Amino acid sequence: MALLPILEFPDPRLRTKAVDVDPAELSTPAFQTLLDDMFQTMYEAPGIGLAASQVDMHKRFMVIDVSEDRSRPMVFVNPQIVSSEGGQVYQEGCLSVPGIYADVTRADTITVRFLDRQGQPQELTTDGLLAVCIQHEMDHLIGKLFVDYLSPLKREMVRKKLAKARKHAA
Ligand code: QAP
Ligand code: CO
């Protein structure tokens, strides 16, 4: 297993639109190892969700674990939201935008269809944090970040804050 480097805002590669995973690829050792590496990278951060786009892999899948004890790993391959209802505001963060948190409004309850890690089709209806996380990670797959919901001025402040933090870390 390996920790993968995570792309950070404003890296233009985070804007890449991901393409569907070929279901035949799911059963390959390379794909299963990549999933394990993504979980390890997410748990180590620590984070609750990581999209393939964030590790410079522009295919439509992501890993999520919103459980307190990190015991409920979920894999979503080729996810599609088939219905959504209501609205909720959640203070989001992102491994690609470290140290920045902001309120984002999203659907409250969603139904998502996807393939699991074994390639089996699944349908899940969920709400709360898991619903927020699925929507956040699916945004990554179309090149969208949570800071895109902020005003251009706030987004520019985020960019400067990250540049400054990186400069001090260097
Ligand atoms: C997306 O985010 C999410 O700034 C997943 O310094 C976030 O795992 C969905 C993290 C909130 C729903 C609600 C962020 C770790 C982790 C940071 C994450 C940081 C270290 C973010
Ligand atoms: Co994110």
Side-chain angles (χ1 to χ4, degrees):
M1 292 224 279
L3 290 180
L4 306 170
I6 298 175
L7 300 179
E8 290 187 4
F9 176 74
D11 193 310
R13 291 173 289 179
L14 285 168
R15 299 310 188 176
T16 312
K17 197 174 177 294
V19 300
D20 269 327
V21 176
D22 176 350
E25 200 185 333
L26 277 175
S27 54
T28 65
F31 195 87
Q32 293 295 320
T33 300
L34 178 59
L35 288 175
D36 289 339
D37 290 349
M38 283 177 62
F39 274 114
Q40 194 190 3
T41 303
M42 178 186 81
Y43 287 133
E44 206 264 348
I48 59 171
L50 184 67
S53 316
Q54 293 176 273
V55 293
D56 206 16
M57 185 74 190
H58 302 287
K59 293 191 183 163
R60 299 190 61 252
F61 68 99
M62 63 230 197
V63 301
I64 290 179
D65 188 340
V66 295
S67 69
E68 293 283 347
D69 57 356
R70 336 251 59 204
S71 63
R72 203 152 64 89
M74 305 175 85
V75 173
F76 295 82
V77 176
N78 299 343
Q80 299 288 352
I81 290 177
V82 293
S83 71
S84 58
E85 248 183 85
Q88 62 174 323
V89 178
Y90 206 97
Q91 186 173 47
E92 297 188 16
C94 180
L95 290 172
S96 294
V97 195
I100 307 287
Y101 302 88
D103 283 353
V104 178
T105 304
R106 300 196 189 264
D108 178 53
T109 306
I110 60 167
T111 298
V112 61
R113 287 198 189 130
F114 59 100
L115 301 178
D116 66 18
R117 155 167 219 164
Q118 282 78 38
Q120 297 302 310
Q122 303 288 344
E123 185 175 291
L124 171 73
T125 299
T126 190
D127 61 5
L129 178 59
L130 180 55
V132 172
C133 197
I134 291 168
Q135 292 172 81
H136 175 114
E137 303 311 332
M138 284 183 70
D139 268 357
H140 278 296
L141 305 180
I142 56 168
K144 190 164 182 157
L145 302 173
F146 84 98
V147 293
D148 297 345
Y149 295 99
L150 307 178
S151 69
L153 178 65
K154 280 193 179 157
R155 195 159 48 252
E156 184 56 16
M157 285 166 59
V158 167
R159 193 189 62 73
K160 285 187 177 147
K161 196 173 167 185
L162 288 180
K164 197 169 178 180
R166 274 193 286 272
K167 193 178 137 197
H168 282 97

